[in-house]
Amino acid sequence: REGGDAAGRRPAPGAASSVAAALVDARGERLIVSHHGDALQRPPPPDLAWLEQADAVLVDPRCPAWAEAALDQARARGVVSVFDGDPAPRAVLQRLVARAGWAVFSQPGMAAFAEAGGAGTAPEAAALDAGLDAALARGAEVAVVTLGERGLRWRRRGQPVRALPALSAGTVVDTLGAGDTFHGALAVALAEGQGDETALRFAAAAAAIKCTRHGGVLGALGRGEVLALLAAAG
């Protein structure tokens, strides 16, 4: 319905798919309970011919072999690449960060990557910034850690760490899909040539709007709504 092309799907004979259940509480916070199959750990070879038409590449750590191949192709072609740094084995995160242009972590993902930003870490900002530095040292050009209602911290190589506050779009009812919305909107903004901070604000606005709607991906939003929120925020 939204115009996505799933033609690149590849079956993994004899492997099991992963299954997840998402629980959302009265405050809109979500908990995801997963059973991990083995299909993404031993997939067939990827077909990367579609990259010839791509303006940006977005990957996560769930299928490391495909993610590595896509990031390597993106770098070779000079295509913008964004890595969604969700929790995964540290070795996987380190391999993918080394290949990505943008390494964008959730706070739990940052903790898994660099032992930074975990519960009880003090001072928290210093630990998060150390994680950003570690991502840049591995090879990323820009490193970001998102902090939900507390905004985000980010750094481009050779520049100081910066903080960006969260945007409010109304009452939070469902945070499910907010991270995916952020990463997708960021990839779109970067593909369009938006500057670093402008692209991050665009992504933050999209994620904020998603949090005001139920239903994960069913709460998807349009560009006009994002631009309206940005204009209202000034």
Side-chain angles (χ1 to χ4, degrees):
R1 186 179 67 223
E2 297 294 337
D5 182 356
R9 294 177 301 162
R10 301 288 298 278
S17 297
S18 298
V19 179
L23 312 175
V24 181
D25 67 17
R27 298 174 302 162
E29 295 295 333
R30 92 285 187 274
L31 172 68
I32 300 177
V33 183
S34 302
H35 172 75
H36 296 288
D38 60 347
L40 298 181
Q41 303 307 313
R42 50 189 186 96
D47 178 3
L48 299 179
W50 52 267
L51 257 180
E52 297 176 3
Q53 304 299 323
D55 296 310
V57 172
L58 168 61
V59 304
D60 65 30
R62 290 173 179 81
C63 185
W66 280 28
E68 287 187 28
L71 291 174
D72 285 345
Q73 283 276 7
R75 179 163 290 189
R77 294 176 181 273
V79 173
V80 172
S81 62
V82 178
F83 170 54
D84 176 351
D86 267 346
R90 180 168 297 131
V92 170
L93 294 174
Q94 290 178 340
R95 291 201 311 270
L96 296 178
V97 166
R99 293 166 161 81
W102 284 67
V104 186
F105 298 92
S106 62
Q107 193 167 356
M110 177 63 83
F113 167 69
E115 296 183 328
T121 302
E124 182 189 51
L128 294 171
D129 293 351
L132 297 177
D133 289 345
L136 298 179
R138 293 293 300 186
E141 293 294 326
V142 183
V144 183
V145 57
T146 59
L147 305 170
E149 64 185 9
R150 295 179 293 136
L152 59 85
R153 297 180 73 80
W154 66 284
R155 182 183 176 195
R156 176 175 281 278
R157 186 180 299 169
Q159 298 181 10
V161 174
R162 302 180 188 179
L164 188 69
L167 293 171
S168 176
T171 302
V172 173
V173 299
D174 188 352
T175 61
L176 180 64
D180 292 332
T181 299
F182 183 96
H183 289 91
L186 178 62
V188 167
L190 294 174
E192 294 175 345
Q194 295 186 29
D196 293 351
E197 187 161 349
T198 302
L200 287 167
R201 290 189 78 244
F202 182 89
I209 294 170
K210 167 60 208 66
C211 290
T212 66
R213 301 176 178 180
H214 289 289
V217 70
L218 299 180
L221 49 129
R223 171 184 293 274
E225 298 168 275
V226 177
L227 296 179
L229 177 57
L230 290 171

